[in-house]
Amino acid sequence: MDLHPGEHVIYEGHPSWRSIFSFYLMGLVVVAAAVAIGVVADKVGIGAGAAGAILLILLLVGWLRRITTRYLITNRRLQIRRGLLAKHTEETRVERVVDVTVHQGVFDRILRIGAVDFDNASAQQGDLFRFAGIASPENVVRAIDRVHEDSTATPTATGE
């Protein structure tokens, strides 16, 4: 991300690996099924080979899903960037953030992850900016609070 003059990074991160834990669990079920099919078909070597290939693909896809999503908070804007080859970027200005909400279910609390929703001052209902699968979401909330505190503590150019 190209920073504007006077802009600095407050928070930068990716979804936690724990946020795709269910994806990995489902993949392990598929791996176990491949081994079971190999055992039943009396082709244990083929089943183990298929399971190994599936496991490698599972790990690669999970890693790519996580690493190709980037969350950024600067003293001026919030940004979500997704994609490896094709990029999709969402951005909003920090001063437009009117409400910050953390969502953590029971499973999320166990894994110490959560989603942070930034409700911005938009005319559209449900226009939501979300950092999903964040480790320690309270740190993100503190970061946005710091940005808001710094912006209100800084005197304006008109001397107010």
Side-chain angles (χ1 to χ4, degrees):
M1 173 181 183
D2 294 327
L3 297 177
H4 298 181
E7 185 176 27
H8 59 277
V9 174
I10 306 293
Y11 173 87
E12 185 172 7
H14 299 277
S16 169
W17 69 269
R18 295 182 306 266
S19 68
I20 55 174
F21 192 67
S22 62
F23 173 77
Y24 287 133
L25 284 178
M26 290 304 290
L28 289 177
V29 169
V30 173
V31 167
V35 170
I37 290 170
V39 168
V40 169
D42 213 17
K43 305 284 186 188
V44 176
I46 292 173
I54 292 169
L55 184 60
L56 286 176
I57 291 169
L58 172 76
L59 292 173
L60 180 64
V61 168
W63 178 76
L64 283 173
R65 282 178 61 184
R66 190 178 76 80
I67 207 71
T68 59
T69 300
R70 190 182 87 180
Y71 302 127
L72 185 74
I73 300 174
T74 72
N75 58 323
R76 295 186 182 166
R77 52 193 165 151
L78 302 171
Q79 185 183 72
I80 301 172
R81 177 178 273 170
R82 292 182 182 91
L84 180 63
L85 299 176
K87 296 277 187 189
H88 175 76
T89 303
E90 296 175 69
E91 191 171 288
T92 191
R93 307 222 19 104
V94 170
E95 66 265 7
R96 293 183 55 86
V97 173
V98 293
D99 191 25
V100 179
T101 307
V102 174
H103 296 279
Q104 282 185 303
V106 174
F107 194 61
D108 292 338
R109 297 229 354 140
I110 291 169
L111 294 176
R112 293 178 293 135
I113 60 172
V116 182
D117 293 341
F118 302 93
D119 195 7
N120 60 27
S122 172
Q124 295 184 7
Q125 180 69 12
D127 193 10
L128 194 63
F129 207 77
R130 173 177 273 195
F131 285 12
I134 294 292
S136 303
E138 62 278 355
N139 292 341
V140 174
V141 174
R142 271 187 247 139
I144 201 72
D145 285 345
R146 257 194 330 263
V147 172
H148 278 176
E149 288 169 5
D150 290 348
S151 69
T152 58
T154 306
T156 63
T158 59
E160 293 178 18

